[in-house]
Amino acid sequence: MPQRQKDRDHGTLGRYQLLRRIAVGGMGELFLARASSFGGFEKLVAIKRILPILAEQPAFVAMFLDEARVAATLEHPNIVHVADLGHAGKDYFLVMPYLEGGDLAHLRRQLTARRRALPEALAVHIVTGVASGLDYAHAKRDRDGRLMGLVHRDVSPENIFVTFEGEVKLLDFGIARAAQVASHTDVGTRRGKARYMSPEQARGQPLDARSDIFALGVVLYELTTGALPFDAENDLAVLARIVAGAPLPPSQRIAGYPRSLEAIVMRALEVDPARRFQSAAELRDALRQHSRERQEMSSSVELGAFVIDVLAGESAGGASH
């Protein structure tokens, strides 16, 4: 690694000391960092630093700052809170709580490697938590009481985190629009995300809360069947299938798939937004009713124990974000 990069990975950002780099994504680098304050107070945090090539683009920086300021107003147990928005030299960064666990994409890879499956009750529990966070954000109003019209735009396994305590957290709320700007500078940054887009997003149409509901429906389908509802050899073919609609019903993939859950999944995946759940609260309540009827209510304790069992044995740094 060039010395300049090493220096960037172990320097400081304002009052935060970078300890190690956790991951690199399409628009930024994620670090474990330490915040220090008066009286020897120290706290571990996660920092997302914008890539240098993007930090030099005024249009991207302006959108990133606008979106991050909105994200900082979101306070919900199922949304990762943006605790600070910083600027040091040419670097722009977000500060978030340091969580121990893994995102759903990582969890599923580990389950596949061990030839295990995510129990249906836990899958429903996870998606119910995400729906709760989405409902809060979609209903968020500004100081004048007007709906802010927030849409995540990137609900996918990579942006859903489960902790060793059994918490379910939606990541990167409010900065997906900035990420889309970043994608225009690097063809590969959006690879794979097409599989979680709504039909209206695939068409480039205006989005509302129902687009996030469709994406969460894709996640629910994948978690409970082990397959994607819309998959193909490349992103263009995937988008064509999404726009065409009519995914294979889960019961045709999994024998004995619950009819009530299938009805929820298929409604969330309706091509016409008017035929979907009209709010994330509707989806959340339908999932809760399904769990009650089947007497399969799961808990954070059970989810946490499962995540620990699957991820805690990894090498240091493999799972914690």
Side-chain angles (χ1 to χ4, degrees), residues 212-295:
D212 287 342
I213 292 170
F214 184 96
L216 188 54
V218 176
V219 173
L220 179 59
Y221 187 110
E222 183 180 20
L223 291 181
T224 55
T225 68
L228 285 160
F230 309 99
D231 205 4
E233 62 277 6
N234 58 62
D235 283 355
L236 287 178
V238 168
L239 296 177
R241 290 191 176 185
I242 290 173
V243 171
L248 189 69
S251 60
Q252 294 185 30
R253 292 186 183 273
I254 304 292
Y257 194 93
R259 290 185 178 181
S260 58
L261 185 58
E262 180 170 89
I264 293 171
V265 171
M266 297 303 284
R267 184 178 175 188
L269 294 179
E270 286 281 358
V271 172
D272 182 359
R275 296 175 62 86
R276 287 178 216 150
F277 294 100
Q278 296 301 289
S279 70
E282 280 189 42
L283 173 57
R284 177 200 63 203
D285 293 346
L287 290 170
R288 287 176 175 171
Q289 181 65 25
H290 161 79
S291 297
R292 283 194 294 266
E293 290 176 353
R294 290 180 60 86
Q295 297 183 337

Side-chain angles (χ1 to χ4, degrees), residues 108 153-158 192-198 201 211-212 214-216 218-219 222 228-230 238 242:
R108 290 200 68 237
R153 299 169 184 265
D154 194 11
V155 177
S156 60
E158 290 82 1
K193 295 297 181 124
R195 287 155 178 78
Y196 302 92
M197 287 185 179
S198 66
Q201 191 172 10
S211 179
D212 287 342
F214 184 96
L216 188 54
V218 176
V219 173
E222 183 180 20
L228 285 160
F230 309 99
V238 168
I242 290 173

Side-chain angles (χ1 to χ4, degrees), residues 48-262:
K48 176 168 283 190
R49 183 175 67 190
I50 301 310
L51 294 174
I53 189 173
L54 296 174
E56 295 175 357
Q57 301 177 24
F60 170 82
V61 170
M63 179 170 287
F64 168 76
L65 294 177
D66 285 344
E67 297 291 310
R69 279 190 284 266
V70 171
T73 68
L74 301 179
E75 296 268 7
H76 189 273
N78 297 115
I79 296 177
V80 172
H81 178 61
V82 175
D84 194 6
L85 173 62
H87 176 219
K90 295 182 179 181
D91 288 319
Y92 295 87
F93 59 93
L94 298 173
V95 181
M96 298 162 287
Y98 179 68
L99 306 176
E100 291 191 294
D103 61 53
L104 282 187
H106 181 69
L107 180 66
R108 290 200 68 237
R109 285 194 297 270
Q110 293 301 310
L111 288 171
T112 299
R114 301 181 186 200
R115 297 183 180 181
R116 295 178 60 183
L118 178 67
E120 178 194 298
L122 291 183
V124 171
H125 177 80
I126 290 169
V127 174
T128 300
V130 177
S132 293
L134 285 174
D135 177 58
Y136 163 82
H138 292 159
K140 183 74 174 176
R141 294 179 179 272
D142 63 20
R143 293 179 180 178
D144 296 323
R146 296 171 297 193
L147 276 174
M148 298 175 70
L150 301 183
V151 182
H152 189 285
R153 299 169 184 265
D154 194 11
V155 177
S156 60
E158 290 82 1
N159 280 332
I160 298 172
F161 200 92
V162 287
T163 73
F164 292 153
E165 287 76 34
E167 300 168 302
V168 178
K169 301 283 189 178
L170 186 59
L171 305 173
D172 284 357
F173 209 117
I175 64 173
R177 281 189 7 183
Q180 289 173 355
V181 172
S183 71
H184 293 304
T185 69
D186 183 347
V187 175
T189 56
R190 302 294 292 178
R191 184 164 50 245
K193 295 297 181 124
R195 287 155 178 78
Y196 302 92
M197 287 185 179
S198 66
E200 53 270 33
Q201 191 172 10
R203 297 188 187 104
Q205 297 172 338
L207 305 181
D208 59 27
R210 295 171 296 182
S211 179
D212 287 342
I213 292 170
F214 184 96
L216 188 54
V218 176
V219 173
L220 179 59
Y221 187 110
E222 183 180 20
L223 291 181
T224 55
T225 68
L228 285 160
F230 309 99
D231 205 4
E233 62 277 6
N234 58 62
D235 283 355
L236 287 178
V238 168
L239 296 177
R241 290 191 176 185
I242 290 173
V243 171
L248 189 69
S251 60
Q252 294 185 30
R253 292 186 183 273
I254 304 292
Y257 194 93
R259 290 185 178 181
S260 58
L261 185 58
E262 180 170 89

